[in-house]
Each structure stands twice: as structure tokens, then as C-alpha cells.
Amino acid sequence: DLEKGIRRMAADEYYVSAVKIEQDFASYLEEHYQLYAIRRDSKDQPDSMEDEKKRKFLAEIIKKYKKTDNVELWRLYDQNNDTWAYQLNWVYDGIRYLYSHSFNEDFSRYSPGKYLLMKIIEDSFHDPDIIECNFMRGESNYKAIFADQTMDYIYISLENPRSIRLKLTKLASKIT
């Protein structure tokens, strides 16, 4: 899939560049969210980024983490400056956490998201401060293209046994 996309880029004479955006990336982040929303809509999936509280929370975290270089936004674009893909990452203690990606569906036949991931992983090999790329949550086939090992993940839920809300929720779930 990725190799086919690279061959198609060459055949169609597209020349793309992957860059880590160094300056304030608020405007780029908005485009990332728009592309993410379009993709979710096309797959009839909910768009978690449309939640205003979540977006505000992310904006606060990004602003704080940008000061310490613990967040980065990557952009893949072509010779016409058209955006192909974005990747939002957290960086902590030598680990690059690949948090959120989006791509322009107009270029989907070229696998732009996978191509950008490849470039980010290549960058990680050249960056002595990065020791690992972590794909984080979720199982997706594209992750196997890049990984030589996997780690099981678990879900832990802590509940307050005295919570009235919890008791009502459990009761409601038994009734329905």
C-alpha cells in the first residue's frame, strides 16, 4: 500500500515534503481538525475533535507543552503547497507518542498518512533524543507496517463504590 503510493506519486509527478512545524502551529492545527472531521464523516464515525471542551483542553495542553518541546505537529505537503497529511505527537522522556493523524482524502490513493508516518519514524532514527515511537491506543493494520514488536495494553477502571451516579448507571444498564 505504502510502496504503491510512493510509485504513484512518482508517476503523477508529485513531490512531497514532510516538515515538523517549528513556529506557532495554531492555524495548521485547525486544518488538521478539519481534515480529521472530513475523514470521520466519510467513514460514518464520530468526530471526537468536534467536542469544544476537548478542543479547549488540547489547546491548553499544546500551549503548555509547546514551551518545553513536548508537542509537535508534522505536515506533509506537495510542490503546490497543498496539504496531504498532518500528525500531532507528544514527546516525553525520549518517546514520540503518535497521537492524532489526518489526511486529505483527495490524495488518499498515495497513502499520505502512512508516508508521513514513515518520514517521522525516519526522523526518529536520526534524532538522538528519540528512543521509541509509540503508536498509542487502538489496533490498526497500518501500524504493523512500521512495527517490529507489539505490546499488549490493558484497560483499568477505578470506581468509587459510594458514588450514587455509578450506582444509577449500573442500574440503568441492567434495565436496558
Side-chain angles (χ1 to χ4, degrees):
D1 198 34
L2 177 58
E3 291 176 5
K4 188 187 298 182
I6 293 170
R7 286 193 304 273
R8 286 176 175 166
M9 279 185 233
D12 295 344
E13 297 183 356
Y14 277 115
Y15 306 100
V16 295
S17 300
V19 294
K20 181 168 54 171
I21 300 167
E22 300 292 342
Q23 71 274 21
D24 178 39
F25 52 69
S27 63
Y28 294 103
L29 198 57
E30 274 308 308
E31 186 180 24
H32 165 59
Y33 291 150
Q34 289 169 3
L35 292 174
Y36 185 87
I38 292 167
R39 178 68 174 161
R40 299 283 71 79
D41 187 53
S42 75
K43 296 179 71 73
D44 288 326
Q45 296 176 341
D47 175 7
S48 64
M49 295 298 184
E50 73 181 352
D51 178 353
E52 197 56 42
K53 276 173 72 175
K54 181 177 181 175
R55 297 255 303 254
K56 185 177 179 186
F57 173 76
L58 278 173
E60 290 173 18
I61 297 298
I62 288 169
K63 183 178 178 181
K64 178 181 176 185
Y65 279 27
K66 187 83 172 116
K67 293 176 186 174
T68 57
D69 291 327
N70 291 113
V71 64
E72 56 187 26
L73 183 65
W74 286 73
R75 178 179 181 235
L76 182 70
Y77 64 96
D78 64 21
Q79 70 268 26
N80 302 314
N81 202 31
D82 291 326
T83 297
W84 285 41
Y86 283 106
Q87 176 68 45
L88 179 64
N89 303 324
W90 307 110
V91 180
Y92 181 75
D93 203 22
I95 301 173
R96 180 174 274 154
Y97 295 93
L98 307 171
Y99 174 68
S100 172
H101 66 273
S102 65
F103 65 90
N104 186 333
E105 290 193 326
D106 293 343
F107 302 107
S108 62
R109 71 185 303 260
Y110 305 102
S111 301
K114 292 174 188 151
Y115 186 84
L116 181 56
L117 278 176
M118 179 185 72
K119 291 300 184 182
I120 292 169
I121 291 168
E122 282 179 5
D123 178 80
S124 299
F125 283 115
H126 299 291
D127 186 337
D129 295 329
I130 301 294
I131 58 171
E132 176 184 324
C133 283
N134 186 316
F135 284 99
M136 298 183 69
R137 74 229 181 272
E139 294 182 31
S140 296
N141 292 337
Y142 76 88
K143 294 177 181 181
I145 296 169
F146 301 105
D148 63 350
Q149 57 183 284
T150 61
M151 298 187 318
D152 293 330
Y153 58 91
I154 59 172
Y155 177 79
I156 298 174
S157 176
L158 300 176
E159 298 175 348
N160 178 353
R162 293 182 291 259
S163 167
I164 293 171
R165 180 179 178 192
L166 176 65
K167 290 176 184 175
L168 290 173
T169 303
K170 285 185 177 184
L171 178 64
S173 69
K174 288 179 184 177
I175 294 171
T176 57

